[in-house]
Amino acid sequence: MYFDVASTAPLHPVARQALTAALDEGWADPARLYRSGRQARMLLDAARETVAEVLGARADEISFTASGTQAVHLGMLGALAGNRRRGSHLVHSAVEHSSVLHTAERWASPRPESGGETAGDPVTVVPVDRYGRVSPEAFAAALRPDTALAVLQSANHEVGTVQPVAEVAERCGDVPLLVDAAQSAGRVDVPAGWSLLAASAHKWGGPAGVGVLAVRKGVRYASPLPADERERGRVPGYVNVPAIVAAAASLRAVRAEAERENARLHALVERIRAAVPRLVPEVEVVGDPVRRLPHLVTFSCLYVDGEVLLTELDRAGFAVSSGSSCTSSTLTPSHVLAAMGVLTEGNVRVSLPFGAAEADVERFLAVLPGVVAGVRAPLGLDLPAPAGAGEPEAAPEAAPAPGPAAGLVIDALGKRCPLPVIELAKRIGDVPPGGTVAVLADDEAARLDIPAWCGMRGQEYLGEAPAADYGADRGAAYLVRRTA
Amino acid sequence: MYFDVASTAPLHPVARQALTAALDEGWADPARLYRSGRQARMLLDAARETVAEVLGARADEISFTASGTQAVHLGMLGALAGNRRRGSHLVHSAVEHSSVLHTAERWASPRPESGGETAGDPVTVVPVDRYGRVSPEAFAAALRPDTALAVLQSANHEVGTVQPVAEVAERCGDVPLLVDAAQSAGRVDVPAGWSLLAASAHKWGGPAGVGVLAVRKGVRYASPLPADERERGRVPGYVNVPAIVAAAASLRAVRAEAERENARLHALVERIRAAVPRLVPEVEVVGDPVRRLPHLVTFSCLYVDGEVLLTELDRAGFAVSSGSSCTSSTLTPSHVLAAMGVLTEGNVRVSLPFGAAEADVERFLAVLPGVVAGVRAPLGLDLPAPAGAGEPEAAPEAAPAPGPAAGLVIDALGKRCPLPVIELAKRIGDVPPGGTVAVLADDEAARLDIPAWCGMRGQEYLGEAPAADYGADRGAAYLVRRTA
C-alpha cells in the first residue's frame, strides 16, 4: 500500500501512454527544422498550451524545468536578480519546501563571487501558527520597500495546511509573489495572484524530470544561469519533449479526475484524522483540520523514533513518510513541525494516491495501533488509554495541589530523541504532584518535543534553563512541573 | 533518413526496454526507506556503477544532471568556485559547445550580485587550426598561475575533429581540466587526464533528461546552486531514476556495439568525404580528415543558404543539421566554422546513427547534387565542374598577368549571406584579370565567406578596407583581385 504520494505519485496511466507515444513521435530535437524536429516542436507547443490552461497561465508564460526544485531555484533567483532595482529583501514563510529555504540561505550568505567580502542579502521568515498557516497580516507586515520577492507555498508538503495565498497576494501589491504549488497543482486550482509559479510533474502523476516555472507577463526576470535560447532563455539544456508531453497529458487527466477523487480522499483523510487519536494513545494529529489538502494527513506519536516506526509500517506493507520529506536522511527535526511548535517524535505523513481504496485505509488503521504499541513496548512505559477510547470517557481526576519541588534531574545528554522524552515519561512519577523535573538534553528536537509532551500529558512546561545551572557543559535544561 | 545523430540519437532499443522496466520497478523516491524506495535506490546505484565503469570513473565521482548543458554549467561554475584560491582565470578552446561559451560569457561579465560594479573574470580563448583542432602547445601557453579551470571538448560537435585531450591534460599539470565528452561518450573511449567530465545521454541513444557530471576525487568543487543533499550535493532536485537507468543500460549497449559500428560508419563517412567534392561543384569539406569522429562529416556549399538547403534535403527525405547546432535559430554564423576560418555558407552536417545503411548514404549522395543545383539554379551562376569530376582533371590555365585595376564596387549592404558572395561570383567577370573588386557588406558572415570563396575559386583576397572609403556608413569593404 503506497501512501506517500506527497513524495512522488505513481505514474498515471495516461502519462505512461503519452510517454510511450511521444518517445516514438517526439524524440527529435524540437529546435530542428526537418520533419521529426517540427513534429517534436508541435508536441511541445501543445503540451505547453495544456499545462498553461490547467494552471491558469498563458502558454508563453510557461517554461519547463528539470524538477520542481529547479523551478523554485530559478524562479526565486531569477526574480530576485530581475528586481534588483527594487532592493534585495526576500520574504518567505517558515514552512516552505527545503528548495525555498536553501535558495534563501544562498541568498543570505556572502557572495562567493566577491571573495566572501560583502554581506548577504536580508531575508525575513514569516512565522506560522500551530496549524502551520501564515497570517496574511503577518506576511504583509514583513514586506518592506526594498522587498524584491515574496514566496509562499499553496499548501504545505508535510502537514497539508492550505495557505491563504490569494489574501497574501492581495497584500503584496506590486511585490512579486512566487507561489510554490508543487503539492497542489493538478489536485486543486492554483490560487489567484501569483507572479511566479513553481510545480513538479512527478507529484501529480507525471514522469520525473519535469518541473514547471511560470512567470507572469510583465514580471521582471533575469536568468541566474548562463545564457541559452531554449525555454524563453530561462532553462538551459536540451528540452525533454517526451517527458513534457507525458506531464501535460497526465496533468489534464488528473485535474479532470480530481473533483471526484478529492471528495473521496477528503473523507478518507477525515476518517484517519478522527480514528488515530481514538486508536493510538499519546498521539497528536497536526496541520489545519479544515483548510487542508484533501489527501494528506500527518500525526506524531510520543516516545517513538520516526524511522523505526516507518520501518515497522513498511514491514506491515505500508509505505508512508516521516518528518521533513526532503531531509529524511538528516537527523535534524523537520523545520515545518518545529515552526509549528508541535511534537516531532514518531512523525508519520500519510498521503493518499488517487484511487486509494477505503479497505486499505481501514487496514492501515487496523494495523497502526499494534505497530506503535510494538515499538513502544520495550520502553516499559505506563501509557494512558487513547484519548477517544471507551467514550464517554471518565472525567480525569482533579489535579492534586502542587507539593514541594523535588528537583529531580534527568541526564539525557547524548541521547537522541525520543529518548529524553521517554526518560521524562518514565520518571516523572518519581516526584510528587507539584514537584519539578529538569531534563538535560542536547538533541535539538527535545526543545520541541518536551513542551509538546507536556501539552499532551497535561503536565506544566516551565521553560528552559542554562545547562550550566545543572553542572552540564552543553545542551539545555527543560523544566517540567508534575501537575497530573 | 535521420542523419542528425549529433543533435540527438534515436532512443536505443535497450534504453526503451530499461525505461519501461524502471518505470515499473524504480518509480519511487530513492531517498525513501520503504521497499519501493529502496528498490529505486538499488537501481540508481547500479546505474551509477555502470556509467562510472564505461566512462572510466569511480561511482562516487558520478553525479547525474538533467542535461549535458547542465553538466557543463555546473562543472565549470563549480570548479571555478572551488578553485578560487588558485585564481579566476578560465581557458577554453574557440570551438567549444555553446554551453561552455555561455558559461564563460557569464563568468567574464560583471557580477550582477555586486550591482554590476566589479569587472568580470578573465577568460582566454585558445584558437584552432583550419581543421578545428587546438594545438597542445597553444593551449599550454594560455595557462597562467591564476588559471582556475581549463575546458576542452573531446571532439567537436559541428565538424567531428578530435581534440588532443591527453596531450593538453598532460600540459595542464595541476590546473583542473573539464572535458566535454558529449559528442564522443559511448562511441569512443573517454580520453585520459580529465578532472571533470561532462556527457549527455540523449547523444548516445539514452533518453532526454539525463546528463553526467563526473568530478575526480580530490578536485575542488563548490556548488554554484542552492544546497541540496541529492547527487553528492552537486545537482539539486528529484532524481530521475527511470531515465538514469535507461541511460546507463544504453551506454553499456552502445559501447559494446561501437567497435563494429565505428569502423563501418568511419568507412561510410570516408565515402561521403571523398564523393561530395566530386559530385557537387564549389564545395568545401571541413574538419580534420584523419583525427575525427567516425560518424560525422561537415561540408559547406558556396552560394547556398544553409536553411534553404536543409529544407530541400528534408523534402528529399534526409534530416541533417547546419551551422552551429545549438544556435540554428540565430542568424550569426557558426562560431566553430568562424574560428576555423572556413566557409560558413550552405553548411551541412551529416552525423550517422548506429545502423545507418550504406544504401541510404548512397541515396543521399545521389540526391545531394540535384538538391544543391536546384537551390543554386535561380542564381544564374556559371559554375565550374566539381573539383574531382572527369578525372584526370585538365590542368587549370595559367593565371593571366594582372591588368589594370577596374575598381568595381559591389554594394551588398543589407543583403544577407550568401547574397554578397553570389553577387561577387556573378560580377567578377566584369573586371579584367588583375582588376580588383570591392564588396561592401554588413553581414558578418561575409568576413568569413568572401576569403573562403577566393580560396576555393583561386581568386586573390586582398583584405578589408573601411566602408567609409567607399562612401558607406556601415559594414566593411572586402577587396578581391581577379586572378582566375
Side-chain angles (χ1 to χ4, degrees):
Chain A
M1 246 50 62
Y2 184 73
F3 286 172
D4 193 22
V5 74
S7 286
T8 194
L11 195 65
H12 194 284
V14 164
R16 182 182 285 257
Q17 282 165 22
L19 182 63
T20 305
L23 287 172
D24 288 331
E25 306 295 326
W27 60 274
D29 186 342
R32 291 284 166 264
L33 303 172
Y34 41 73
R35 194 177 155 281
S36 51
R38 295 196 308 270
Q39 195 168 302
R41 162 65 63 178
M42 276 174 45
L43 290 173
L44 177 62
D45 290 346
R48 201 183 306 275
E49 291 282 351
T50 299
V51 169
E53 189 193 323
V54 177
L55 298 184
R58 290 165 41 146
D60 62 1
E61 293 172 338
I62 301 281
S63 299
F64 292 107
T65 65
S67 66
T69 291
Q70 193 187 30
V72 165
H73 288 176
L74 294 182
M76 287 179 67
L77 295 174
L80 286 165
N83 288 277
R84 271 282 184 191
R85 278 190 204 170
R86 188 186 281 281
S88 62
H89 181 231
L90 169 66
V91 175
H92 66 80
S93 90
V95 295
E96 298 299 313
H97 186 259
S98 58
S99 56
V100 173
L101 270 60
H102 287 145
T103 310
E105 279 161 22
R106 165 66 58 136
W107 189 247
S109 65
R111 299 278 93 76
E113 290 81 1
S114 56
E117 287 147 27
T118 58
D121 294 298
V123 176
T124 300
V125 179
V126 183
V128 294
D129 64 18
R130 208 178 157 78
Y131 286 152
R133 194 173 155 98
V134 296
S135 117
E137 290 70 30
F139 206 101
L143 301 173
R144 310 193 317 207
D146 64 337
T147 302
L149 180 68
V151 182
L152 182 61
Q153 62 197 186
S154 59
N156 186 266
H157 52 296
E158 284 190 49
V159 300
T161 299
V162 170
Q163 302 293 352
V165 170
E167 295 90 320
V168 166
E170 217 168 85
R171 284 163 178 81
C172 278
D174 63 350
V175 174
L177 175 66
L178 185 149
V179 174
D180 172 12
Q183 280 303 328
S184 70
R187 296 179 176 273
V188 297
D189 277 337
V190 172
W194 54 268
S195 315
L196 301 101
L197 186 78
S200 173
H202 75 96
K203 304 274 191 196
W204 71 60
V210 182
V212 178
L213 171 62
V215 182
R216 275 275 186 244
K217 198 93 185 160
V219 170
R220 284 174 196 278
Y221 186 92
S223 172
L225 294 180
D228 191 294
E229 64 179 6
R230 287 163 286 203
E231 292 299 303
R232 304 183 64 77
R234 289 182 182 142
V235 190
Y238 187 71
V239 180
N240 189 350
V241 175
I244 289 169
V245 168
S250 55
L251 179 62
R252 190 199 291 271
V254 165
R255 194 67 198 90
E257 290 163 19
E259 289 316 312
R260 188 188 62 238
E261 277 298 283
N262 281 353
R264 209 177 62 79
L265 296 180
H266 191 277
L268 289 177
V269 162
E270 206 57 53
R271 165 87 179 113
I272 298 172
R273 291 189 69 94
V276 165
R278 283 178 221 270
L279 297 169
V280 181
E282 310 282 341
V283 80
E284 183 177 14
V285 179
V286 297
D288 198 302
V290 177
R291 293 169 295 194
R292 62 171 175 85
L293 288 175
H295 62 291
L296 195 156
V297 53
T298 300
F299 53 86
S300 298
C301 308
L302 262 180
Y303 316 129
V304 172
D305 180 289
E307 203 163 297
V308 173
L309 186 52
L310 255 53
T311 306
E312 293 304 317
L313 284 169
D314 179 43
R315 278 198 196 145
F318 294 95
V320 297
S321 190
S322 177
S324 180
S325 57
C326 283
T327 53
S328 66
S329 70
T330 67
L331 298 177
T332 53
S334 148
H335 73 271
V336 172
L337 302 176
M340 294 164 65
V342 297
L343 188 70
T344 70
E345 285 180 5
N347 181 255
V348 173
R349 178 183 71 184
V350 175
S351 52
L352 303 175
F354 278 15
E358 187 179 348
D360 291 335
V361 170
E362 291 303 332
R363 217 162 62 76
F364 176 76
L365 291 172
V367 160
L368 180 70
V371 167
V372 176
V375 175
R376 285 170 172 169
L379 308 175
L381 291 165
D382 183 24
L383 295 173
E391 288 178 288
E393 199 180 349
E397 283 174 35
L408 173 65
V409 177
I410 298 174
D411 181 359
L413 290 168
K415 292 183 179 168
R416 276 188 52 206
C417 278
L419 293 177
V421 171
I422 290 171
E423 290 290 312
L424 171 61
K426 277 184 172 172
R427 299 188 54 194
I428 195 161
D430 295 354
V431 300
T436 60
V437 180
V439 184
L440 285 170
D442 53 0
D443 183 326
E444 269 303 298
R447 178 163 286 128
L448 299 159
D449 290 345
I450 290 175
W453 178 87
C454 291
M456 291 169 72
R457 293 295 298 258
Q459 309 291 0
E460 187 182 357
Y461 180 63
L462 299 174
E464 257 174 72
D469 291 2
Y470 294 83
D473 59 353
R474 63 208 157 101
Y478 301 94
L479 305 181
V480 177
R481 175 178 291 134
R482 179 179 168 191
T483 51
Chain B
M1 245 51 62
Y2 184 72
F3 286 173
D4 194 23
V5 74
S7 285
T8 193
L11 195 64
H12 193 285
V14 164
R16 182 182 285 258
Q17 283 165 21
L19 182 62
T20 305
L23 287 173
D24 289 330
E25 306 295 327
W27 59 273
D29 186 343
R32 292 284 165 265
L33 303 171
Y34 41 73
R35 194 179 153 283
S36 51
R38 296 196 308 270
Q39 194 167 304
R41 161 66 63 179
M42 275 175 46
L43 289 174
L44 177 61
D45 290 345
R48 202 183 304 275
E49 291 281 352
T50 298
V51 169
E53 190 192 323
V54 176
L55 297 184
R58 290 167 41 150
D60 62 0
E61 294 172 338
I62 301 281
S63 298
F64 292 107
T65 65
S67 65
T69 291
Q70 193 188 30
V72 165
H73 288 177
L74 295 181
M76 285 180 68
L77 295 174
L80 286 166
N83 287 277
R84 270 284 184 193
R85 279 190 203 170
R86 187 186 283 280
S88 62
H89 181 232
L90 169 66
V91 175
H92 65 79
S93 91
V95 294
E96 297 300 313
H97 186 259
S98 59
S99 57
V100 173
L101 269 58
H102 288 145
T103 309
E105 279 160 22
R106 167 65 57 137
W107 188 247
S109 66
R111 299 277 95 75
E113 290 81 1
S114 57
E117 287 148 28
T118 57
D121 293 299
V123 176
T124 300
V125 179
V126 182
V128 294
D129 64 18
R130 209 175 156 79
Y131 286 152
R133 193 173 156 99
V134 295
S135 115
E137 291 69 32
F139 206 100
L143 301 173
R144 308 191 320 205
D146 65 336
T147 303
L149 179 67
V151 181
L152 182 61
Q153 62 197 187
S154 59
N156 186 267
H157 51 297
E158 284 190 49
V159 299
T161 299
V162 170
Q163 302 292 352
V165 170
E167 294 90 322
V168 166
E170 216 168 83
R171 284 162 178 81
C172 278
D174 63 348
V175 175
L177 174 67
L178 185 148
V179 173
D180 172 11
Q183 281 301 330
S184 70
R187 296 179 177 274
V188 295
D189 278 337
V190 172
W194 55 267
S195 317
L196 302 102
L197 186 78
S200 173
H202 76 95
K203 304 272 191 197
W204 71 59
V210 182
V212 177
L213 171 62
V215 182
R216 275 275 185 246
K217 199 93 184 159
V219 171
R220 285 175 195 278
Y221 187 93
S223 172
L225 294 179
D228 191 294
E229 64 180 6
R230 287 164 286 203
E231 292 298 304
R232 304 184 63 77
R234 290 184 181 139
V235 190
Y238 186 71
V239 180
N240 189 350
V241 175
I244 289 169
V245 168
S250 55
L251 179 61
R252 191 198 290 273
V254 164
R255 195 66 197 91
E257 291 163 17
E259 290 315 313
R260 189 186 64 238
E261 279 297 282
N262 281 352
R264 208 177 63 79
L265 297 180
H266 192 276
L268 288 176
V269 162
E270 205 59 50
R271 165 89 180 112
I272 298 172
R273 291 187 71 95
V276 165
R278 284 179 220 269
L279 298 170
V280 182
E282 311 282 340
V283 78
E284 184 178 14
V285 178
V286 297
D288 198 303
V290 178
R291 292 169 296 193
R292 62 172 176 85
L293 289 174
H295 62 292
L296 196 156
V297 54
T298 301
F299 53 88
S300 299
C301 308
L302 263 181
Y303 316 127
V304 173
D305 182 289
E307 206 164 294
V308 173
L309 186 52
L310 255 54
T311 305
E312 293 306 314
L313 284 169
D314 179 42
R315 278 197 196 146
F318 294 96
V320 297
S321 191
S322 177
S324 181
S325 57
C326 283
T327 54
S328 66
S329 71
T330 68
L331 297 178
T332 54
S334 148
H335 73 272
V336 171
L337 301 177
M340 293 165 65
V342 297
L343 188 71
T344 70
E345 286 179 5
N347 183 254
V348 173
R349 178 184 70 184
V350 174
S351 52
L352 303 175
F354 277 15
E358 187 179 347
D360 291 335
V361 170
E362 292 302 332
R363 217 162 64 75
F364 176 75
L365 291 173
V367 160
L368 181 69
V371 167
V372 176
V375 174
R376 285 172 173 170
L379 308 175
L381 291 166
D382 183 23
L383 296 173
E391 289 178 284
E393 201 178 347
E397 284 174 36
L408 173 66
V409 176
I410 299 173
D411 181 358
L413 290 168
K415 292 185 178 166
R416 274 187 54 207
C417 277
L419 292 178
V421 170
I422 291 171
E423 290 291 311
L424 172 61
K426 277 186 173 172
R427 299 187 54 195
I428 195 162
D430 296 353
V431 300
T436 60
V437 180
V439 183
L440 285 170
D442 53 0
D443 182 326
E444 270 302 299
R447 179 163 284 129
L448 298 158
D449 290 345
I450 290 176
W453 178 86
C454 291
M456 291 169 73
R457 292 296 295 259
Q459 310 290 1
E460 188 183 355
Y461 180 63
L462 299 174
E464 256 175 72
D469 291 3
Y470 293 82
D473 59 351
R474 63 209 157 100
Y478 302 94
L479 305 180
V480 178
R481 175 177 292 134
R482 180 180 167 195
T483 51

